[in-house]
Structures are given as structure tokens and as C-alpha cells.
Amino acid sequence: GHRFAPTAVTLPLGASYGRLDGPAAVAALDAAGRGLLSPAALDPTVTTLRGLAHLSPAGQAADAYARVLWQEPMAGALRVIPLDIHSDEVTAAADGLAEVDPVDSHWVATHADGRQAELVVRVETSPTDLAQSCGGAPEPVRIWRVAEADSRS
């Protein structure tokens, strides 16, 4: 955790959560015990879910978007894969840059019941620099978000 923004990772799901209060932490732990993500992960107005550890940042954005779209708490019910060879390269390139121009990567999210959505994930640089740790100097922050979606139920 972090003293100013409590965090958690639930295992074996590998779900990362941030900005937890007491009730949100209990809900995440309870859900993990049932093999599910926290109910807050399905609420687009709450931003506690940081992503699943096995996915790249762009993949985490695609997964989170599809979970909200389909209201799916079961970790294994969704699969997101890059549609273009550059999706993972976009993440690798962004890791080494202080400022990132918007770059699109294309993903497909597939639900276990056959629903699919094609998603365009864009990495942007936040207009506000933030300290990455206590006492650290403010620096640019990268944000991955779904910019376009084409859902086929």
C-alpha cells in the first residue's frame, strides 16, 4: 500500500487497486475470495481498479472498458488481444518517453459468451505533471484510455 493512496493486489487474480478506503478494500478482498473483481471495477464513476497484472497498460485499459460495457466481474470471462503488431511496441516505446504523442493501438475484447468489441486505445500525456512518489519531482504522466469502440453483441 501507500500511506496517501492505499493500494492492493489481489491474488491469484493479479488485480491491482488504488485509492482504496476501508469498505472498498473489504469489497475487493471479498470479491477476490469468490474469484471475482471488486464491484467497483464495473462502475465507470469509480477508478479503483488499476488493471490485471498480466496485461500491458493498453491491454488493461481495453479490459477495464469491456468489463464496464458488459458488467463482467469474473476475471477469466474476458480476453483482450492486440489486433496490430504495434500494440505492444506502443507500450514499450511509451515507457522510455517523457512526453508521448497520442498513439493508437487496436484491440479486440472477447467475452466467454461470444460478445466482442473492437477497441482503439490511445496513450496520452496528462496536462498536469504529478509526483510519482513521496518527495519526487513532478513529471509527465501517461494515461491509456479507450478512444473508440465498436461493440458486437
Side-chain angles (χ1 to χ4, degrees), residues 110-135:
T110 304
H111 192 281
D113 67 10
R115 289 178 281 179
Q116 287 191 325
E118 287 190 26
L119 307 170
V120 177
V121 176
R122 179 164 294 149
V123 60
E124 303 168 345
T125 300
S126 170
T128 306
D129 291 353
L130 298 172
Q132 298 298 305
S133 64
C134 295

Side-chain angles (χ1 to χ4, degrees), residues 97-100 123-132 137-145:
L97 300 175
E99 291 189 30
V100 179
V123 60
E124 303 168 345
T125 300
S126 170
T128 306
D129 291 353
L130 298 172
Q132 298 298 305
E139 57 186 75
V141 176
R142 290 180 307 280
I143 301 168
W144 284 261
R145 62 177 102 235

Side-chain angles (χ1 to χ4, degrees), residues 53-128:
H54 69 281
L55 297 172
S56 68
Q60 290 175 1
D63 179 80
Y65 184 92
R67 286 187 187 287
V68 170
L69 177 68
W70 296 322
Q71 292 296 290
E72 182 54 67
M74 177 112 21
L78 295 183
R79 184 171 175 214
V80 294
I81 56 171
L83 288 178
D84 53 34
I85 194 163
H86 303 292
S87 294
D88 287 332
E89 293 171 11
V90 165
T91 299
D95 285 341
L97 300 175
E99 291 189 30
V100 179
D101 292 327
V103 178
D104 293 346
S105 60
H106 299 83
W107 295 76
V108 64
T110 304
H111 192 281
D113 67 10
R115 289 178 281 179
Q116 287 191 325
E118 287 190 26
L119 307 170
V120 177
V121 176
R122 179 164 294 149
V123 60
E124 303 168 345
T125 300
S126 170
T128 306

